[in-house]
Amino acid sequence: MSLKEKMVSSFLAFELDTNINSPVHDIRSESIKDFEKIGFPGKKNEYWKYTPINKVLNDKLTVFKKKRHLIEFEKVKDFFVNGIESYKIVFIDGAYDPLWSNTTHKGVDICILSAILENKKYEGLINKYYNTITDKNESFSLLNSSFSKEGAFVHIPKNMELDKPIEIIHINSGGESSLMLQPRSLIILEKNSKAQILESHYSLVGENNKSPYSYPGFIDPLTNTLTEIHVEENANLDYYKIQNDLETTSLIDNTYINQKRDSEVSCHTFSFGGNIVRNNLNFYQNGENINSIMKGITILGGNQHTDHHTLVHHANPNCESYQEYKGIYNDNSTGVFNGRVLVDKIAQKINAFQQNNNLLVGEKSSVNTKPQLEIFADDVKCSHGCTIGQLDDSALFYLKTRGISEKEAKGLLTYAFANNVLENVKMQALKTKIKKIIANKIGVNLGFEL
Amino acid sequence: MLEIKDLHVSIDGKEILKGLSLNVKPGEIHAIMGPNGSGKSTLSSVIAGNEDYEVTKGSIFYKNENIEDLSAEERANRGIFMSFQYPVEIPGITVTNFIKTAINSNLKARGEKEMAANEMLKKIRDKANMLEIDSKFLSRSLNEGFSGGEKKRNEIFQMAMLEPSLAILDETDSGLDIDALRIVANGVNKIKSSSNAIVIITHYQRLLDHIIPDYVHVLQDGKIAKSGNKELALELEEKGYDWI
């Protein structure tokens, strides 16, 4: 049985275990039907041209978990941002872990999706927002919608500035082979509200950078996550993603963000590892005076691969979008950046900026970068640029004349190259955490406090 | 300190320096003047260890050691410093973090202990004060968006921090207004001692009003065409380089 067939037949078993009177039941059944029609992306699919996703679509994968894994705090404490107070929603192998979570319903909902889907009180919200902005022609979004049951739910009421950040943490215990996880999150920021959200994906690490429970024939998890974010008028979301996983685990991350007028969303994506990581980050601007900011740092080594597909749909006038992605590729690692900017005919006076810079450090590393601008308005400012190269010789010489060794100078310049993207990270503790990960990834002892 | 003998230097097969000799002793300030294209910047680059330039003949001795085979960082570790005509912008590293890394790299290369954090901080504060550098400036990215004057002041700040035995100042006066010129020159005069030496490379005489050279050399077509004392600089200013 192919993985596609297996998924379709798994749905019948999955359905038995869900409430068929739930408002999302129809969405699930429609989605699996649509998935059955289109299946997984084929080899000639342009959208997946440079990412060999079939490599990780092993037909042994299953959406059913057999057992529950408990993990000691000691092993996961570094996955949290140290030194800050935060709301926490923690999932281990896709299942909610109440032990380390810190959720709330006091004036604001920061909790799990499964509880909301079964609660009449939230039916209005679900009908208004759930699965309204996902791409109904995208295989993995459809698959996630079919099997969606658990994930984070965040609802910030109007005029509220959230008192502390939210950490949504997905941990793979590695305790079971062949898992395909389908986390689903729904985030709603009402009018004039403001929040900071950090979403991260980690795995427990054993010897040789493998899963601690790995054995010959072990198939590492594939996570197919989907996050829907609705940002109402004049709301402000500061959103961060950390993808720092094993070289053997893979992640497909579909994020859909719908913005209303006067709102601002900033999304930083830190991709520091995984076997194959695919980000589909989609912004829809539904109103005037909207600002959408996307920044990213990718640092890979070994045979890792990361793909950033971004989409900004400028559907209204007087809006802005800003994209700045940097990549550092060591060893045989590979990367993709595809930045699509779609400007509708009525979307006059918009300003769209896009920049993608890459450092190829490994001799066999490579990157495919492609700006994709589709502009139907005539009074807009759209700029884009990309570079692929090595470190600047004149900068290297400058550092060396100050007595800094070649190795250190290269490390420092590489660090500087990435560090430059961090200036808008507003959470100081997170900034420090990211700087340390970067220094560690580059393997340089910088000799100053980060 | 620095002994250059019959130096011939080429870049991309084109000979720029054609038999230059120069002898600089500790405690001395030498000014090297010359028209555009005479080889001034080539001379500073080749002393600093820029590998784009090829020494085809002659030698450079520094503290009685032939430095031909030393890399730029090894020369810096031994106390050679060059102030760049066009300092490179490095976004993502602050001035403070850069200078900390540089100082500790040099100490490490000399087999010495890294400088304690409080000592480093005090030194940074002292030298910044001397050059009238605002503390905000120190937390900006290295040279990024700096004005011409700020870049040059930052070069001299690094010189003050690194305390080199031999400093080559390549066109340090270009891009400086009169106030910045005075501050930079005062800084250089304070760093100057009987145990270090300074080579000033300049097109114009104006920096030499503030930093008085012991010797002035005129570089023309890759060679020292004439040497003298500070009067020579004034004469050049008046009569131009064609007069030589």
Side-chain angles (χ1 to χ4, degrees), chain A residues 141-420:
Chain A
S141 298
L142 289 171
L143 203 55
N144 181 286
S145 294
S146 309
F147 292 101
S148 63
K149 200 162 75 172
E150 191 57 292
F153 177 78
V154 175
H155 180 225
I156 316 281
K158 68 176 180 189
N159 303 325
M160 175 188 266
E161 182 171 340
L162 195 62
D163 57 340
K164 50 195 177 194
I166 304 169
E167 291 186 76
I168 302 169
I169 304 180
H170 299 274
I171 301 168
N172 290 322
S173 73
E176 208 169 310
S177 177
S178 316
L179 277 183
M180 185 174 187
L181 303 165
Q182 313 276 356
R184 171 74 170 229
S185 297
L186 177 62
I187 294 166
I188 304 158
L189 273 78
E190 299 282 6
K191 217 167 146 178
N192 304 325
S193 69
K194 195 173 175 185
Q196 281 189 318
I197 299 178
L198 167 64
E199 176 199 330
S200 33
H201 291 268
Y202 295 101
S203 291
L204 291 192
V205 188
E207 279 174 30
N208 303 324
N209 238 3
K210 284 187 169 168
S211 160
Y213 310 103
S214 172
Y215 52 82
F218 181 89
I219 297 164
D220 282 273
L222 166 64
T223 301
N224 175 35
T225 184
L226 192 155
T227 306
E228 234 181 314
I229 303 178
H230 298 268
V231 182
E232 294 293 338
E233 282 173 30
N234 198 38
N236 184 307
L237 174 65
D238 189 22
Y239 183 37
Y240 302 92
K241 288 171 183 284
I242 302 182
Q243 303 163 343
N244 191 11
D245 224 324
L246 295 180
E247 264 187 56
T248 43
T249 50
S250 295
L251 173 69
I252 297 162
D253 180 338
N254 272 296
T255 301
Y256 297 92
I257 302 175
N258 188 34
Q259 285 185 254
K260 295 285 177 63
R261 81 176 165 82
D262 303 319
S263 66
E264 179 175 313
V265 174
S266 151
C267 177
H268 286 75
T269 306
F270 302 113
S271 303
F272 297 141
N275 177 13
I276 288 185
V277 175
R278 166 67 178 245
N279 288 289
N280 297 328
L281 179 58
N282 305 288
F283 276 83
Y284 305 111
Q285 296 188 332
N286 282 313
E288 291 198 31
N289 192 31
I290 288 169
N291 194 6
S292 310
I293 300 158
M294 281 144 275
K295 292 199 174 196
I297 301 175
T298 304
I299 305 177
L300 301 180
N303 293 307
Q304 301 181 96
H305 176 88
T306 290
D307 180 338
H308 294 284
H309 263 66
T310 63
L311 164 70
V312 187
H313 187 169
H314 284 281
N316 284 281
N318 302 314
C319 291
E320 294 199 13
S321 67
Y322 183 95
Q323 304 187 50
E324 186 184 9
Y325 279 80
K326 288 199 174 177
I328 298 167
Y329 299 91
N330 297 293
D331 309 321
N332 307 320
S333 62
T334 48
V336 178
F337 176 80
N338 189 110
R340 185 167 170 227
V341 176
L342 180 59
V343 184
D344 286 356
K345 201 172 176 185
I346 63 154
Q348 302 291 4
K349 308 270 183 208
I350 61 111
N351 185 359
F353 174 87
Q354 183 185 94
Q355 183 73 31
N356 173 234
N357 303 103
N358 302 287
L359 271 184
L360 295 183
V361 182
E363 269 180 40
K364 288 186 174 165
S365 62
S366 70
V367 63
N368 283 289
T369 175
K370 180 178 159 196
Q372 194 182 339
L373 274 54
E374 296 159 40
I375 305 168
F376 299 97
D378 53 13
D379 185 16
V380 298
K381 196 174 159 193
C382 292
S383 51
H384 65 89
C386 56
T387 61
I388 298 176
Q390 275 82 35
L391 292 170
D392 176 24
D393 278 340
S394 60
L396 208 52
F397 177 63
Y398 185 70
L399 265 60
K400 285 161 77 174
T401 64
R402 298 309 183 242
I404 301 170
S405 73
E406 171 131 2
K407 184 173 174 278
E408 266 186 282
K410 281 183 173 167
L412 194 61
L413 287 177
T414 309
Y415 172 80
F417 171 79
N419 188 28
N420 201 26

Side-chain angles (χ1 to χ4, degrees), chain B residues 116-134:
Chain B
N118 56 347
E119 193 187 337
M120 181 80 80
L121 207 65
K122 187 179 179 304
K123 188 167 181 176
I124 289 174
R125 209 181 298 133
D126 289 351
K127 303 299 180 189
N129 280 342
M130 180 179 92
L131 290 158
E132 299 178 31
I133 289 173
D134 191 86

Side-chain angles (χ1 to χ4, degrees), chain A residues 398-400 402-403 419 448, chain B residues 73 82 90 92 106 155 158:
Chain A
Y398 185 70
L399 265 60
K400 285 161 77 174
R402 298 309 183 242
N419 188 28
F448 51 80
Chain B
E73 63 267 33
M82 173 165 102
I90 304 180
N106 281 301
E155 292 292 287
Q158 292 176 39

